[in-house]
Amino acid sequence: MLELGVLTLDWLESMILPLTRLTAFFAAAPIFSQSVGTARIRLLYAASLCFLMAPIFPSSLSEPAQVFGKPDLLSLLGEALIGVSMGLALQFVVAAVVTAGEQISMTVGISFAQSFDPSVGSTPILSQFLNLLALLVFLTAGGHTIVISMLVESIRTLPPGQASLAD
């Protein structure tokens, strides 16, 4: 019975680095970083996605110990940096849509109609409309599946623990 506990503990230790990358992504991604998504929900998303992605990790149940090497603070920070940078890439797209809405409303002359958006601040109504429209187009076109495949490919091409901040 003790061997099963050690096997489970080794498996959970090997999941720390991918879970750090996914949690950092969900903390910085535009859909999940708003005040509607609590930290508990984002952590649940990251943990469930990490569990679903476990078969693509380079490990086996016969030898689960140190799949990605020993997790230390530097490798955890490196994984967090990779996850945040992927989330910030999506934030830049959302910021471009918000900026386009602000420019259009300023040009047309309806920039005085503003409301408060907790994620962006005080933005014109047209900007919020374009933001929601872009989000609907993103979800309708299957962008959420592309984001999940992007996360899977990031784990496959750059395995956790391989990138170091010292490089």
Side-chain angles (χ1 to χ4, degrees):
M1 192 66 176
L2 182 63
E3 293 143 4
L4 181 64
V6 169
L7 183 71
T8 305
L9 189 61
D10 285 341
W11 184 75
L12 286 175
E13 186 182 23
S14 70
M15 290 292 164
I16 287 176
L17 290 176
L19 184 64
T20 303
R21 183 183 294 187
L22 293 175
T23 305
F25 171 76
F26 282 123
I31 300 172
F32 302 102
S33 66
Q34 295 180 358
S35 62
V36 177
T38 62
R40 206 177 289 168
I41 291 173
R42 288 180 284 199
L43 186 62
L44 183 66
Y45 282 152
S48 62
L49 191 59
C50 186
F51 181 72
L52 290 173
M53 287 171 45
I56 69 160
F57 296 155
S59 67
S60 66
L61 288 176
S62 62
E63 190 179 332
Q66 313 324 324
V67 178
F68 302 116
K70 278 278 194 196
D72 56 348
L73 183 62
L74 203 57
S75 61
L76 283 174
L77 287 175
E79 294 303 315
L81 185 66
I82 291 172
V84 166
S85 65
M86 287 190 300
L88 283 179
L90 291 177
Q91 281 283 26
F92 289 149
V93 174
V94 171
V97 171
V98 169
T99 305
E102 289 176 356
Q103 291 297 322
I104 292 170
S105 65
M106 199 177 321
T107 303
V108 175
I110 58 172
S111 62
F112 60 88
Q114 292 188 2
S115 67
F116 183 73
D117 185 9
S119 64
V120 181
S122 181
T123 59
I125 299 293
L126 185 63
S127 179
Q128 288 186 356
F129 175 71
L130 285 178
N131 194 8
L132 283 175
L133 187 66
L135 179 65
L136 285 175
V137 168
F138 177 76
L139 291 176
T140 305
H144 57 289
T145 58
I146 294 171
V147 168
I148 291 173
S149 66
M150 177 188 67
L151 289 170
V152 169
E153 282 300 315
S154 79
I155 297 265
R156 189 175 293 149
T157 57
L158 188 63
Q162 300 296 325
S164 175
L165 288 178
D167 294 341

